[in-house]
Amino acid sequence: MAETNAAPTKLDPVTFEVLKNAFVNLVDQMSEQILRTCYSFVIYSRDFSSAICDAQGNTIMQGTQDISVHVGTLHLSAKAVIEDFGDDIHPGDVFLINDPYRGGTHFCDVRVIRPVFYEGKLISFMQCNGHWADVGGYVPGSFNVQSKDHYGEGLRIPPVRIWSKGNYLTDVAGLLVSNMRVPEERLGDLRAQAEATRVGELQLLRLIEKYGADTVLTAFDEVQNYVERLARVQIADLPDGTWETTDYIDMDPEIGDRLIPIRVKLTIEGDELFYDLSGSHPAISCFLNSGFGASFSAVISGTKTFFPDIPLNSGFYRLVHVNLPENSVVNAPWPVAVTGFCSGAYEKIMNAIFELWSYIMPERALACSFNLEYLLVGGWDRREGYQNYFMWYDWMAGGHGGRAYKDGGNVLSPVFGVGLSIQPCEGQERLSPVITTHHEIVTDSGGPGRYRGGCGLRKGGILTNSENTVMSYCCDRSRSVTWGILGGLPSLPHGAWLNPGTTDEKFLGTVFSNIPLKPGDSFDRPSAGGGGLGDPLERDPHDVLEDVIDQYVSIERAKKDYGVVIKENDWEVCDFEIDWEATETERAYIRAHRKEWLWEDIASVAQKFRAGEIDELDLIRRYGVIMDYTSGEILPTSTEQYREMLYKRTLAYWS
């Protein structure tokens, strides 16, 4: 076994277990505090996390519902404060930081950090991280896809003191929020997060009062050692070896037709894990890059998914070694734009890691899940009684990948942050001049497989009484479509529409900023489902029938994707039946031709599509052809890369 800091325990088992769980409860109480006092609807919808750290900044424990993107980064923020302020840290101080180049995620994730002292000695840091709905920059919501550097994205906050020895620094706070939209809301979130860290401080001091400082500080070390020991034992039981895969961002706007590779290699040696992302593409010319902290978080979150029973703290980080090449899309340096990392590099790393662990631990296999997306509409709210700047800041649920022995989950929060809530339409409508017109499951969005991917959603809205309003969209996977594994098929492409179903209808794609809107304009977009797992022709026809009854799968796609022919007797009473003879014939036909479909000449496939002989899902699932849906142009280079990916993940597993 490799050298470990996990020394023999010094606490009796009962005291250790009580304090270990008390630390989790402490963090959860911080979370409850911010949930009940925050101003931003985004934070209220659980885009936040909290942590308790030791005096060196190491994470002691995180809560039970912290969103995954923040794990693996909060200790870096605490260490940045220590690095910048050193001995100049005092009781009553509170610090602020959002710097993605100092271990953070993106500028909207603002961390409030409170040092905790006992008898004059620094013993801990309490931290509360919340996503502020706007931190300045060129567009409302601070998601500007056109930015190539951070100056167009929002205010960069290095570690800065916001309370000094208990005194609130009004001038510093004013300087910060005056560069943000709706500053009174930003100040409300700041106070809510600061109060949450105070709750954590009080709870820690109560534990010290009950158990003594030496016991509690010993428990700080021992909970980290415990997690390290537990993780090492489980890793040591796995086979040594190396596994590699590649996922993609759709494109670099300056390159055009080319998927942007993110390469992930995992090596298990004894009881340690080594991740190497060498070979990943250089940083690209839009905000889908990721900084070091966010990419490290993606590695931790992706790995932790396969070890759900292990608590998370810095003890886990001791056995996970990560090589993130500098100046790459997974380790972009200042001042490269990184705000869209969540839709770009982050979830690609996570899903690639899901695939690798699916080979190592097939009993927990998981296909690719839908991509996080944000649609932001901001402007001046002209409704009576409002008359203020507004941000309609929306993310969608979608489908998770097919699992070992089970279909993927329908309409869940993204793997980026499974603790996120789905924002209630009623709350959004009260706070902004946008009315939701529909919010429904998308038939045929789950990737076909022996175990189907979960289904995605479609959501539409219409702008009402407002002015000077613009729309921005942060998304991906219109080209690197959510993929299946072990023979499973992909989902469907992402993308947003403006004024769908009208003469002004326009497809805007997956990344755009500052599109002007006027009252009466409508917009609509789907979220993808998850990728399928296993050969779709091996799915039980009865399960396909149930999917048709539930409207998860259409009769047409049941035949095309699963080779199951279903007859509709009476739709109103869900009376459908399987045509067994036709199903046998159809499955034999698909099995005989499906490999040749993937290598059919691209120009021939494009001609069929334009003639209406095949549809969008045929392009993706049967022919592996990628199109720019804004122009109708077939993309030969992206198609070649996508077909290669389909071959490795899908065709290679077909009999």
Side-chain angles (χ1 to χ4, degrees):
M1 179 176 289
E3 183 178 348
T4 173
N5 295 323
T9 59
K10 299 177 182 178
L11 297 179
D12 68 87
V14 174
T15 302
F16 169 77
E17 194 68 24
V18 168
L19 286 174
K20 175 172 69 73
N21 290 294
F23 297 151
V24 176
N25 182 62
L26 180 155
V27 177
D28 284 347
Q29 288 188 63
M30 293 168 62
S31 298
E32 280 300 309
Q33 179 67 29
I34 186 175
L35 187 67
R36 295 171 186 273
T37 58
C38 63
Y39 279 47
S40 291
F41 197 57
V42 176
I43 295 180
Y44 181 74
S45 298
R46 302 205 71 98
D47 195 346
F48 67 84
S49 61
S50 303
I52 174 174
C53 300
D54 64 17
Q56 291 74 46
N58 301 308
T59 301
I60 300 304
M61 200 61 71
Q62 294 199 230
T64 55
Q65 286 190 276
D66 295 322
I67 68 170
S68 58
V69 67
H70 298 157
V71 308
T73 66
L74 298 184
H75 69 295
L76 297 173
S77 298
K79 290 177 183 293
V81 169
I82 295 169
E83 181 181 343
D84 283 14
F85 287 89
D87 294 332
D88 187 20
I89 298 175
H90 311 281
D93 285 354
V94 178
F95 300 91
L96 209 63
I97 178 175
N98 77 341
D99 194 338
Y101 311 106
R102 299 287 301 278
T105 48
H106 55 189
F107 300 105
C108 292
D109 283 339
V110 182
R111 290 106 190 274
V112 174
I113 302 173
R114 179 186 297 269
V116 179
F117 287 78
Y118 181 73
E119 295 183 345
K121 179 182 178 182
L122 176 63
I123 61 171
S124 176
F125 290 91
M126 298 294 166
Q127 184 168 178
C128 186
N129 177 28
H131 183 118
W132 291 12
D134 185 276
V135 289
Y138 185 61
V139 301
S142 309
F143 275 70
N144 182 12
V145 65
Q146 296 171 334
S147 286
K148 296 182 181 180
D149 57 46
H150 99 258
Y151 299 107
E153 295 191 288
L155 192 65
R156 179 187 179 193
I157 307 172
V160 61
R161 207 186 319 258
I162 201 78
W163 270 267
S164 178
K165 299 179 181 178
N167 297 312
Y168 178 51
L169 303 181
T170 307
D171 53 346
V172 177
L175 173 65
L176 297 176
V177 302
S178 64
N179 288 283
M180 303 175 186
R181 297 167 180 85
V182 197
E184 63 275 11
E185 189 175 279
R186 308 287 78 76
L187 288 174
D189 291 334
L190 169 61
R191 289 191 291 266
Q193 290 175 245
E195 186 64 18
T197 62
R198 192 181 73 86
V199 167
E201 177 185 40
L202 291 174
Q203 293 304 315
L204 179 60
L205 293 177
R206 286 173 182 166
L207 289 174
I208 289 175
E209 182 180 345
K210 183 174 182 179
Y211 293 96
D214 289 344
T215 298
V216 172
L217 295 181
T218 298
F220 278 7
D221 293 331
E222 295 217 354
V223 293
Q224 295 180 71
N225 294 340
Y226 166 77
V227 167
E228 180 184 1
R229 285 196 306 272
L230 188 61
R232 287 189 183 278
V233 167
Q234 294 195 26
I235 297 299
D237 283 341
L238 299 172
D240 285 2
T242 297
W243 297 261
E244 298 182 59
T245 193
T246 303
D247 201 357
Y248 296 92
I249 296 173
D250 281 349
M251 64 172 175
D252 180 335
E254 291 190 350
I255 295 176
D257 175 20
R258 183 179 304 165
L259 302 179
I260 303 302
I262 294 175
R263 307 191 192 281
V264 181
K265 179 167 71 172
L266 164 63
T267 299
I268 299 178
E269 290 184 6
D271 59 2
E272 303 216 328
L273 304 176
F274 298 85
Y275 287 96
D276 186 359
L277 278 73
S278 298
S280 297
H281 198 277
I284 59 177
S285 64
C286 74
F287 71 166
L288 295 175
N289 302 288
S290 179
F292 175 89
S295 292
F296 179 78
S297 168
V299 171
I300 295 297
S301 298
T303 306
K304 178 67 173 63
T305 300
F306 283 76
F307 298 90
D309 57 317
I310 300 177
L312 187 65
N313 61 31
S314 288
F316 193 79
Y317 310 154
R318 295 172 184 168
L319 57 111
V320 181
H321 309 278
V322 184
N323 176 33
L324 298 169
E326 295 182 357
N327 301 312
S328 70
V329 71
V330 297
N331 188 3
W334 176 85
V336 174
V338 295
T339 291
F341 83 98
C342 42
S343 292
Y346 184 88
E347 286 194 340
K348 308 307 185 301
I349 297 172
M350 280 194 74
N351 280 292
I353 288 173
F354 291 168
E355 182 186 11
L356 297 181
W357 282 103
S358 293
Y359 302 138
I360 301 166
M361 305 172 71
E363 71 280 6
R364 293 181 178 173
L366 178 66
C368 184
S369 295
F370 86 103
N371 205 84
L372 172 73
E373 50 88 73
Y374 290 121
L375 186 64
L376 301 92
V377 177
W380 193 260
D381 190 342
R382 299 290 298 174
R383 294 177 299 166
E384 185 176 352
Y386 287 84
Q387 301 296 322
N388 200 354
Y389 224 104
F390 79 93
M391 266 85 65
W392 187 83
Y393 194 117
D394 191 52
W395 58 78
M396 292 252 278
H400 283 207
R403 294 168 283 179
Y405 319 118
K406 196 171 186 179
D407 293 341
N410 294 324
V411 292
L412 298 175
S413 296
V415 295
F416 162 90
V418 291
L420 286 172
S421 298
I422 307 307
Q423 298 181 65
C425 301
E426 297 84 356
Q428 291 180 316
E429 291 174 353
R430 180 176 180 179
L431 296 171
S432 60
V434 177
I435 293 176
T436 297
T437 54
H438 55 277
H439 195 197
E440 58 195 6
I441 288 179
V442 179
T443 301
D444 296 324
S445 56
R450 182 177 183 182
Y451 300 102
R452 174 182 48 76
C455 292
L457 285 172
R458 181 176 297 279
K459 186 174 183 180
I462 187 168
L463 186 67
T464 60
N465 194 6
S466 65
E467 64 182 25
N468 298 325
T469 303
V470 296
M471 179 168 64
S472 302
Y473 193 42
C474 173
C475 192
D476 203 57
R477 293 210 188 276
S478 66
R479 301 180 182 182
S480 58
V481 182
T482 305
W483 34 265
I485 62 172
L486 303 174
L489 287 170
S491 175
L492 50 76
H494 276 148
W497 295 83
L498 179 62
N499 294 316
T502 71
T503 55
D504 296 328
E505 177 180 277
K506 185 177 182 181
F507 182 70
L508 299 175
T510 54
V511 281
F512 56 82
S513 297
N514 230 31
I515 301 296
L517 298 178
K518 62 184 184 301
D521 280 344
S522 61
F523 40 87
D524 180 79
R525 89 275 194 194
S527 63
L533 187 148
D535 188 342
L537 297 187
E538 295 178 1
R539 186 167 177 81
D540 188 331
H542 291 101
D543 290 338
V544 179
L545 176 62
E546 288 299 315
D547 284 344
V548 169
I549 292 171
D550 292 336
Q551 298 183 47
Y552 295 157
V553 175
S554 67
I555 289 178
E556 179 186 16
R557 295 311 312 183
K559 180 179 179 180
K560 285 187 173 183
D561 295 331
Y562 296 97
V564 176
V565 180
I566 294 176
K567 296 187 292 185
E568 177 187 321
N569 297 325
D570 190 334
W571 182 86
E572 291 189 350
V573 297
C574 295
D575 184 5
F576 301 89
E577 64 176 305
I578 300 169
D579 185 330
W580 290 99
E581 183 177 349
T583 293
E584 185 177 348
T585 300
E586 186 65 24
R587 285 190 158 181
Y589 173 77
I590 294 174
R591 192 171 281 110
H593 295 281
R594 58 184 178 175
K595 291 186 178 180
E596 66 189 52
W597 287 333
L598 188 67
W599 304 117
E600 186 168 328
D601 179 68
I602 296 174
S604 172
V605 175
Q607 185 176 359
K608 289 180 182 179
F609 178 74
R610 295 186 179 110
E613 298 175 24
I614 58 176
D615 62 19
E616 179 183 284
L617 290 181
D618 293 328
L619 280 182
I620 296 297
R621 295 176 182 173
R622 282 200 165 185
Y623 298 96
V625 172
I626 301 301
M627 172 179 283
D628 181 346
Y629 295 100
T630 59
S631 66
E633 175 189 4
I634 295 293
L635 303 173
T637 302
S638 297
T639 293
E640 182 180 349
Q641 293 171 286
Y642 186 72
R643 283 181 163 182
E644 180 183 357
M645 181 171 64
L646 269 181
Y647 178 82
K648 292 179 179 178
R649 292 191 169 110
T650 302
L651 265 72
Y653 295 91
W654 286 346
S655 58

